[in-house]
């Protein structure tokens, strides 16, 4: 990276004195942003906790209506994408532009896979009427599945509050999915900047920040997965 | 300065002449809309929040006029409900929350730190734009129907209301992000942008206060965001999380809302306290008493503020265990609040006090906040709150803390930093007239509401029993006096802008750092990077020159050169 | 305060101001990934053997371990400045607080009714269904509430 007459690198913004200061600020800012994200999701987890404790039967049955194999697959996909994200950072830090680009693409691809699986899951739920709250109206196959799940879990009857379970299921996975989409978009942007050669051994901050965000999205899913799909 | 450094500065495309000032260095509205200068952003915030304050104030006067008589006076009950909702929502989300941090804080915080700008200047501008977008949504809400939920948007009012509720909640959701970004920026700035010699024990207390505020902004506001997102989904797709008919729980909405909104009252009051610190020290010409205690009490208030939200829900059907815990914790808040009051009084003691307008507002702050805080304890007591909840007593309590506290603190800061922001002085006599009107008007308006409330007048009512009329009329009369006070103040400031005497660098003779730069600061705050060698309240260490003229040497040379020419 | 000419001024970092990042080995990243996948297998395994009440605890504990791996190694909190750790931990603590206090309400609503005589359902004139006293009066224990039979599920919304 070339430097200007000031003796500073191009990437150094004028109000900072040193790259280390700029990097420290960026990282601190990012962690604050992530803290903010956690508290944003906390509302959903609190609602989950309250209603799970009130309506345990609906939660057990609801969980059995989700396909845990798809959930497992998606978990593995997201973990793998966290790995490729961290490799993209490593490549950027070691100045390997090509590998950075490829790892970013791999991460985007895996995120895409996650969304495709989600699409199929949602699609099925819409078909059989497992809709949130007021629109919850299982029919046909949907009813059969509920009865089977209830029998399997020893619950007697169709729990009224399955609608609450699916309400929260859609809100939680929906907002998480939105975060995945945003992540894909930002990684595409990073890929483009990398292609233009904006990153180097000395400056890879944006890639690092993007990866931090991506890991957080992964962490949210790490909790969502057993809480939604794996209730006994 | 070494030769190379000198050469480097002249080759630097960002180098700006030492006598430039932030207001006139660049001109034209485009330069304002694209600026990343925290001072200009602060000024734009200031104008925006003053507009919001004006709108909220008009609604307030309409409300007070309606309440002159029992029954209909000038409007229907429905309109009244809409008016108090708009008054509350605009005052809270568009005015008070951004007032001190985003407007005044943006302006002075980096200067006090000896930084050129905040850590993320573009983000700072973005947060202003986001604020504007949020404001537009709020305005649209007004045109979309009747929003009559109160500023708290409780379900089921808000889920049953018409579409204006969606617009309003989306607007507030967006405003929340503006607030989060400001907070994030301030924390990063305080951590990474401190100038040489500015270590933590030298941070001006204004910065400690805004820092503590920023922590709340970052940790609490996202919960408001998710609450409003759930509310919007409740309305749009019928998720039913807050709807008992679908197994949801409306009280859960109150938990969510107050998890944000109680800490939010500290977003409002901490910056007010932060300003009082600066003003009290300057106008007592004295080192502030108990610096570390004041700084830490701000942080303690910020953290404790998260533990008491349930005191808004004592009669909402919350579990009795929860009410007891929340009540007990509420009392703890009194400790750090008291620490501050005692330290301020101790600072005043034997200081050489001068009673200029900023000081008057700060002294009023101490008195009014004390009343507001102590009545908060009555409300935090379970047995008394059962009687006082949802009465005018609560209305009076929160106006004493929000107006008597935050708004008086804001006005104190506005008067105090006005010369730095505009480069001009204002007419002190008229400022005092305005102060007297505001102070008297405020107390007449809200003292009578304490009495009304304790006699059982419920809040948010359009009509009332005849026996309450004298007190209601008193309250309305006070509101008009208050309104006139603000009018006088507005004229006084307008006159200062137009023809006020030019201010020197340090018109109050303060030892604070922000007074050392040129009257209207350089675009990079200081023409030369300052090195801090003493604390901001060390009057015994400050030189005569620092106290009366300011020390930016390079600026001095420029002025001298100009005078010669 | 004095203003001295300082062409370069000191900040907390003692070095030349360049960014020093710790570049972890690929091997470490692979090991972490394998650990994460192993934990995933463990959660799914725990799901298939019935742990009863421990199911939730197991899920949360394993997820916490997984997140810790991600945060510590992938997000490199391990080598980060202390304050960033404080921020993260702080956020987690406040999440916990939010959850704990809210559930301190929702888990124990109306408990005092058991002593005060409970609440009457105006529709039936009997002890209200949802209150603790009502449940006790109906011979139930305090704890998870009973589920409605299938037929009533889509009828009048009622307490479970
Ligand atoms: C100093 C200690 C404080 C205590 C102990 C306290 C206590 C309380 C309590 C218990 C209530 C609920 C009353 C009820 O609805 O029955 C309340 C309401 C309120 N307080 Fe405070 N408070 C304090 C400070 C503040 C501050 C500093 C502010 C704002 C700057 C504030 C703003 C409010 C508002 C806006 C409400 C009413 C909210 C509504 O229902 O619309 N309080 N306070
Ligand atoms: Cu409160």
């Amino acid at each position: 990276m070339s430097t200007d007459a000031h003796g500073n690198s191009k990437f150094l913004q004028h109000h900072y004195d040193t790259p280390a200061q700029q990097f420290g600020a960026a990282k601190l800012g990012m962690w604050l942003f992530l803290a903010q994200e956690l508290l944003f999701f906390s509302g959903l987890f609190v609602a989950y906790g309250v209603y799970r404790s009130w309506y345990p039967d609906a939660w057990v049955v609801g969980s059995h209506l989700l396909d845990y194999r798809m959930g497992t697959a998606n978990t593995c996909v997201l973990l793998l994408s966290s790995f490729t994200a961290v490799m993209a950072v490593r490549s950027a830090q070691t100045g390997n532009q090509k590998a950075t680009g490829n790892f970013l693409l791999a991460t985007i691809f895996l995120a895409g896979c996650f969304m495709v699986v989600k699409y199929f899951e949602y699609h099925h739920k819409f078909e059989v009427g497992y809709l949130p709250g007021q629109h919850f109206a299982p029919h046909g196959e949907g009813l059969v599945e509920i009865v089977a799940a209830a029998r399997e879990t020893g619950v007697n009857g169709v729990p009224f509050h399955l609608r609450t379970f699916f309400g929260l299921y859609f809100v939680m996975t929906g907002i998480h999915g939105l975060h995945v989409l945003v992540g894909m978009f930002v990684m595409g942007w990073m890929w483009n900047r990398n292609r233009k050669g904006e990153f180097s051994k000395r400056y890879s901050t944006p890639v690092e920040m993007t990866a931090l965000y991506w890991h957080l999205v992964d962490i949210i899913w790490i909790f969502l997965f057993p809480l939604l799909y794996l209730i006994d | 300065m070494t030769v190379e450094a000198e050469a480097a500065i002249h080759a630097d495309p960002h180098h700006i002449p030492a006598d430039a000032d932030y207001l006139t260095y660049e001109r034209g509205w485009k330069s304002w809309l694209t600026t990343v200068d925290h001072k200009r952003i602060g000024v734009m915030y200031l104008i925006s929040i003053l507009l919001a304050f004006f709108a909220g104030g008009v609604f307030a006067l309409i409300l007070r006029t309606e309440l002159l008589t029992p029954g209909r006076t000038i409007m229907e009950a429905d309109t009244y409900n809409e008016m108090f909702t708009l008054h509350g929502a605009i005052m809270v989300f568009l005015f008070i929350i951004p007032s001190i941090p985003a407007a005044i804080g943006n302006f002075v915080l980096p200067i006090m730190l000896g930084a050129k700008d905040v850590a993320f200047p573009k983000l700072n501008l973005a947060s202003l734009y986001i604020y504007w977008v949020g404001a537009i949504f709020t305005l649209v809400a007004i045109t979309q129907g009747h929003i009559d939920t109160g500023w708290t948007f409780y379900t089921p009012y808000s889920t049953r209301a018409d579409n204006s509720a969606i617009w309003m909640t989306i607007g507030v959701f967006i405003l929340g992000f503006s607030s989060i970004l400001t907070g994030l920026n301030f924390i990063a700035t305080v951590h990474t942008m401190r100038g040489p010699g500015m270590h933590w024990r030298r941070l001006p207390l204004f910065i400690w206060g805004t820092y503590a505020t920023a922590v709340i902004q970052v940790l609490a506001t996202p919960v408001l965001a998710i609450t409003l997102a759930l509310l919007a989904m409740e309305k749009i797709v019928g998720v039913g999380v807050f709807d008992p008919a679908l197994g949801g729980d409306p009280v859960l909405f109150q938990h969510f809302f107050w998890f944000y909104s109680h800490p939010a009252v500290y977003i409002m009051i901490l910056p007010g306290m932060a300003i009082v610190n600066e003003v009290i020290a300057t106008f007592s010409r004295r080192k502030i008493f108990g610096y570390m205690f004041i700084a830490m009490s701000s942080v303690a208030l910020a953290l404790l503020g998260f533990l008491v939200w349930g005191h808004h829900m004592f009669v909402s059907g919350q579990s009795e265990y929860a009410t007891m815990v929340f009540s007990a914790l509420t009392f703890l808040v009194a400790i750090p609040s008291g620490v501050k009051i005692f330290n301020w009084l101790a600072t005043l003691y034997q200081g050489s006090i001068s009673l200029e307008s900023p000081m008057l507002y700060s002294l009023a702050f101490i008195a009014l906040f004390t009343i507001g805080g102590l009545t908060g304890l009555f409300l935090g007591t379970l047995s008394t709150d059962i009687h006082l909840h949802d009465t005018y007593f609560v209305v009076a309590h929160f106006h004493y803390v929000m107006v008597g506290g935050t708004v008086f603190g804001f006005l104190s800061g506005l008067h105090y930093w006005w010369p730095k922001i505009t480069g001009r002085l204002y007419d002190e006599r008229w400022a005092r007239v305005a102060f007297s009107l505001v102070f008297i008007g405020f107390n007449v308006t809200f003292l009578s509401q304490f009495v009304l409330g304790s006699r059982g007048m419920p809040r948010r009512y359009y009509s009332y029993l005849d026996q309450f009329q004298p007190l209601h009329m008193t309250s309305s009369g006070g509101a008009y006096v208050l309104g006139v006070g603000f009018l006088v103040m507005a004229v006084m400031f307008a006159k200062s802008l137009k023809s006020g005497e030019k201010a020197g660098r340090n018109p109050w003779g303060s030892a604070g750092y922000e007074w050392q730069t040129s009257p209207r600061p350089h675009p990079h705050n200081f023409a030369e990077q300052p090195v801090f060698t003493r604390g901001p309240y060390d009057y015994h260490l400050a030189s005569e020159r620092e106290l009366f003229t300011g020390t930016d040497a390079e600026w001095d040379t420029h002025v001298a050169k100009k005078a010669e020419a | 305060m004095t203003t001295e000419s300082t062409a370069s001024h000191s900040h907390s970092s003692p070095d030349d101001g360049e960014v020093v990042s710790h570049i972890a080995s690929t091997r470490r990243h692979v090991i972490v990934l394998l650990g994460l996948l192993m934990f995933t297998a463990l959660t799914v395994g725990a799901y298939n053997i019935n742990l009863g009440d421990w199911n939730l605890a197991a899920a949360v504990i394993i997820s916490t371990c997984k997140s810790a791996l991600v945060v510590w190694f992938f997000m490199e909190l391990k080598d980060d400045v202390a304050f960033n750790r404080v921020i993260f931990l702080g956020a987690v603590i406040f999440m916990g607080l939010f959850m704990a206090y809210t559930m301190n309400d929702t888990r124990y609503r109306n408990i005092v009714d058991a002593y005060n005589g409970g609440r009457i359902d105006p529709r039936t004139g009997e002890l209200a269904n949802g209150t603790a006293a009502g449940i006790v009066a109906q011979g139930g224990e305090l704890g998870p509430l009973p589920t409605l039979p299938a037929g009533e599920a889509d009828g009048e919304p009622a307490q479970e």
Side-chain angles (χ1 to χ4, degrees):
Chain A
M1 180 74 56
S2 60
T3 55
D4 64 17
H6 205 150
N8 284 328
S9 352
K10 271 187 202 152
F11 57 78
L12 185 66
Q13 289 172 289
H14 83 277
H15 60 294
Y16 291 112
D17 294 312
T18 63
Q21 184 194 16
Q22 174 169 303
F23 178 72
K27 210 156 187 189
L28 174 54
M30 195 62 205
W31 277 104
L32 288 167
F33 179 77
L34 298 185
Q36 173 292 126
E37 284 284 329
L38 281 178
L39 266 297
F40 180 78
F41 276 100
S42 74
L44 297 176
F45 285 105
V46 171
Y48 174 94
V50 168
Y51 294 122
R52 179 173 175 166
S53 79
W54 279 358
Y55 312 133
D57 288 351
W59 250 245
V60 177
V61 175
S63 165
H64 277 251
L65 296 174
L66 304 178
D67 187 339
Y68 83 91
R69 281 156 307 184
M70 282 204 187
T72 312
N74 254 353
T75 307
C76 296
V77 165
L78 268 198
L79 290 176
L80 211 60
S81 80
S82 252
F83 171 75
T84 53
V86 93
M87 288 306 292
V89 171
R90 186 174 189 281
S91 315
Q93 285 171 340
T94 52
N96 187 343
Q97 188 184 350
K98 189 146 168 279
T100 310
N102 289 342
F103 277 118
L104 282 172
L105 279 186
T107 317
I108 298 174
F109 171 75
L110 289 167
C113 292
F114 179 89
M115 292 311 289
V116 169
V117 174
K118 269 260 84 77
Y119 168 79
F120 282 114
E121 288 191 77
Y122 273 24
H123 186 71
H124 173 71
K125 310 246 148 36
F126 285 155
E127 292 238 294
V128 299
Y130 297 163
L131 292 169
Q134 155 195 345
H135 303 288
F136 183 74
H139 47 77
E141 197 191 326
L143 271 183
V144 177
E145 277 182 46
I146 293 182
V147 172
R151 194 161 297 148
E152 195 181 327
T153 52
V155 171
N156 138 30
V158 177
F160 175 78
H161 296 104
L162 267 179
R163 65 198 65 219
T164 312
F165 176 83
F166 278 105
L168 277 174
Y169 166 81
F170 277 111
V171 172
M172 292 174 105
T173 56
I175 291 184
H176 177 262
L178 219 60
H179 279 79
V180 173
L181 287 180
V182 170
M184 288 170 74
F185 174 79
V186 176
M187 273 182 298
W189 177 33
M190 287 305 132
W191 177 82
N192 193 35
R193 286 179 69 175
N194 177 63
R195 194 177 52 90
K196 288 195 265 171
E198 285 185 29
F199 306 129
S200 66
K201 262 187 201 172
R202 287 187 59 202
Y203 181 64
S204 55
T205 315
V207 184
E208 292 173 48
M209 299 305 117
T210 311
L212 280 181
Y213 168 80
W214 190 249
H215 295 312
L216 190 90
V217 174
D218 188 17
I219 289 179
I220 302 287
W221 182 258
I222 286 178
F223 279 92
L224 285 185
F225 169 55
L227 289 181
L228 291 172
Y229 290 77
L230 305 180
I231 305 175
D232 247 328
Chain B
M1 196 179 283
T2 62
V3 181
E4 296 96 66
E6 188 107 43
I9 281 188
H10 290 294
D12 177 5
H14 293 296
H15 183 66
I16 297 169
D19 61 344
D21 83 58
Y22 82 100
L23 270 183
T24 55
Y25 175 60
E26 286 173 304
R27 285 175 188 279
W29 59 271
K30 262 196 198 150
S31 77
W32 280 87
L33 290 184
T34 57
T35 186
V36 288
D37 183 339
H38 65 95
K39 298 181 286 304
R40 289 182 153 219
I41 294 172
V43 169
M44 285 190 279
Y45 257 121
L46 185 62
I47 296 168
S48 315
I49 60 155
L50 288 177
L51 286 175
F53 186 53
F54 178 74
V58 169
F59 285 123
L61 290 178
I62 295 177
L63 290 173
R64 280 317 320 170
T65 305
E66 169 54 43
L67 290 170
L68 277 172
T69 62
R72 185 193 149 101
T73 311
I74 55 167
M75 61 179 96
E76 291 306 324
D78 276 346
T79 323
Y80 178 82
N81 291 350
E82 197 180 339
M83 292 290 138
F84 75 65
T85 304
L86 291 174
H87 164 68
I90 290 178
M91 283 298 198
V92 170
F93 297 112
L94 282 169
F95 170 65
I96 281 208
I97 293 206
S99 65
I100 299 176
I104 295 185
N106 243 327
F107 191 93
V108 292
L109 182 132
I111 309 184
M112 282 180 160
L113 286 173
K116 281 187 195 148
D117 209 321
V118 292
F120 312 115
K122 283 187 201 149
L123 198 67
N124 202 14
L125 183 64
S127 86
L128 174 65
Y129 276 66
I130 295 173
Y131 170 85
W132 282 339
V133 174
I136 290 171
F137 272 85
T138 317
L139 289 180
V140 172
I142 302 178
T143 67
Q144 290 296 306
H146 293 275
I147 169 109
D148 58 359
T149 60
W151 75 282
T152 47
F153 306 122
Y154 273 14
T155 54
Y157 295 135
S158 49
T159 40
R160 303 268 162 85
D162 56 33
N163 281 339
S164 58
I166 297 191
W167 285 91
M168 187 64 118
T169 43
I170 295 178
V172 172
F173 179 91
I174 296 171
L175 290 170
F177 276 102
S178 160
S179 174
I180 293 174
L181 295 181
T182 304
L184 189 158
N185 221 333
F186 282 5
I187 297 180
T189 308
V190 175
H191 274 270
T192 59
M193 306 295 287
R194 281 169 288 129
M198 173 57 76
H199 47 70
W200 285 88
R201 281 166 177 277
R202 276 190 189 150
L203 277 188
L205 287 167
F206 178 76
I207 294 188
W208 275 109
T210 30
Y211 180 84
T213 309
V215 172
I216 313 176
Q217 284 175 305
V218 171
L219 289 179
T221 320
V223 176
L224 176 72
I226 190 67
T227 312
L228 297 175
L230 279 171
L231 190 62
M233 277 187 264
E234 185 100 356
K235 267 192 85 88
I236 298 167
V237 291
V239 170
V241 180
F242 302 130
D243 182 354
L246 297 170
D249 179 22
V251 178
L252 190 66
F253 176 87
Q254 300 185 17
H255 277 295
F256 276 47
F257 184 81
W258 291 113
F259 183 87
Y260 164 73
S261 288
H262 185 84
V265 307
Y266 291 95
I267 297 180
M268 304 176 201
I269 199 70
L270 281 171
M273 296 169 157
I275 287 179
V276 171
N277 294 320
E278 300 296 320
V279 172
I280 295 262
T282 295
F283 292 90
S284 312
R285 301 288 178 296
R286 211 170 155 228
K287 193 178 171 116
I288 197 117
F289 187 86
Y291 170 89
M292 254 314 161
F293 278 96
I294 297 187
M296 286 307 123
S297 68
S298 296
V299 179
L301 275 177
L303 300 182
L304 273 180
F306 279 92
L307 304 177
V308 301
W309 79 81
H311 64 214
H312 295 271
M313 305 163 56
F314 288 157
V315 300
S316 299
Q318 177 180 231
S319 116
E320 289 77 5
Y321 288 164
T323 58
M324 285 188 284
V325 175
F326 280 127
S327 172
L329 288 167
T330 296
F331 296 131
L332 282 185
V333 172
I335 299 171
S337 312
V339 166
K340 281 193 193 288
I341 306 270
F342 288 131
N343 281 305
W344 289 330
L345 297 183
T347 307
L348 290 171
Y349 180 66
Q350 292 199 338
S352 32
I353 296 174
S354 55
L355 291 176
E356 271 124 337
S357 42
M359 183 65 158
L360 292 175
Y361 282 105
S362 279
L363 292 177
F365 175 104
I366 300 180
L368 301 179
F369 174 74
T370 305
I371 299 178
L374 288 177
T375 50
L377 294 178
F378 303 178
L379 296 171
T381 310
L382 289 173
S383 49
T384 41
D385 186 60
I386 304 253
H387 178 64
L388 295 172
H389 176 71
D390 264 351
T391 67
Y392 265 72
F393 193 90
V394 177
V395 177
H397 154 69
F398 68 72
H399 280 90
Y400 262 84
V401 273
M402 287 158 82
V403 181
T406 314
V407 176
F408 273 66
F410 170 73
L411 292 176
S412 179
L414 189 63
H415 284 76
Y416 181 57
W417 283 300
W418 182 264
K420 192 75 355 184
I421 297 174
T422 63
R424 291 186 186 271
L425 300 176
Y426 51 83
D427 187 338
E428 178 63 25
R429 269 167 315 158
W430 280 107
R432 286 181 195 193
V433 171
F435 168 78
S436 316
L437 289 171
V438 169
F439 184 77
I440 295 169
F442 169 78
N443 280 295
V444 172
T445 312
F446 293 105
L447 267 180
S448 42
Q449 297 191 1
F450 276 127
V451 184
L452 273 174
S454 59
R455 293 188 184 169
M457 169 74 210
R459 69 190 279 206
R460 292 181 177 169
Y461 272 42
Y462 150 86
S463 187
Y464 48 80
L465 301 179
D466 290 340
Q467 73 215 46
F468 292 131
Q469 193 173 9
L471 283 166
H472 267 303
M473 285 181 73
T474 314
S475 180
S476 296
Y480 297 136
V481 176
L482 190 57
V484 172
F486 277 112
L487 218 63
V488 172
M489 194 188 305
V491 173
M492 180 272 291
F493 277 138
K495 250 182 63 194
S496 154
L497 276 184
K498 213 170 131 246
S499 56
E501 194 186 320
K502 281 218 159 64
R505 265 183 293 198
N506 193 353
W508 310 118
S510 167
Y513 307 131
E514 74 278 21
W515 298 102
Q516 305 302 319
T517 179
S518 37
R520 276 200 302 239
H522 185 267
H524 286 172
N525 296 342
F526 293 90
E528 247 181 295
Q529 176 65 49
V531 177
F532 301 100
T533 54
R534 61 164 174 80
Y537 311 108
D538 289 341
Y539 281 85
H540 57 294
L541 298 178
S543 67
E544 194 107 326
R545 219 164 87 82
E546 280 175 334
L547 285 185
F548 296 103
T549 52
T551 53
D552 197 336
E554 208 170 306
W555 192 78
D556 283 339
T557 343
H558 270 264
V559 175
K561 264 190 210 151
K562 258 200 191 153
E564 266 170 44
Chain C
M1 187 177 73
T2 60
T3 46
E4 290 159 12
S5 321
T6 41
S8 69
H9 63 258
S10 55
H11 272 277
S12 42
S13 51
D15 47 68
D16 62 351
E18 280 303 311
V19 178
V20 204
S21 4
H22 299 259
I23 304 182
S25 65
T26 308
R27 201 167 139 252
R28 193 178 86 192
H29 293 323
V30 173
I31 293 174
V32 174
L33 175 67
L34 290 179
L36 288 169
L37 292 173
M38 197 195 73
F39 272 123
T40 308
L42 203 67
T43 345
V44 179
Y47 169 62
N48 284 326
I49 49 172
N50 194 343
L51 289 175
D53 287 347
W54 286 92
N55 178 279
L56 178 62
V60 171
I61 290 170
I62 296 176
S63 298
T64 308
C65 294
K66 283 166 80 175
S67 311
L69 280 179
V70 173
V71 171
W72 201 242
F73 293 107
F74 280 179
M75 298 168 92
E76 302 210 299
L77 212 46
K78 177 173 162 294
D79 301 316
D80 214 327
V81 295
F83 189 67
N84 289 348
R85 290 182 210 160
V86 172
I87 295 174
F88 183 77
L89 259 182
V92 173
I93 290 172
F94 277 100
M95 284 176 88
L97 207 120
F98 185 14
M99 173 86 87
Y101 277 44
T102 305
M103 291 187 67
N104 182 37
D105 163 25
T106 59
R107 291 293 287 154
Y108 303 109
R109 274 194 203 155
N110 296 322
I111 290 274
V112 171
D113 285 352
Y115 303 98
N116 292 350
R119 213 174 271 176
I120 306 297
D121 184 336
R123 288 172 301 186
T124 61
E126 286 168 1
L127 277 171
N129 196 6
T131 65
I135 295 164
V136 174
Q138 287 158 17
E141 280 180 58
L142 290 180
L145 304 175
T147 317
L148 284 179
E152 289 168 41
D154 285 331
E156 210 201 341
Q159 289 292 111
E160 216 170 335

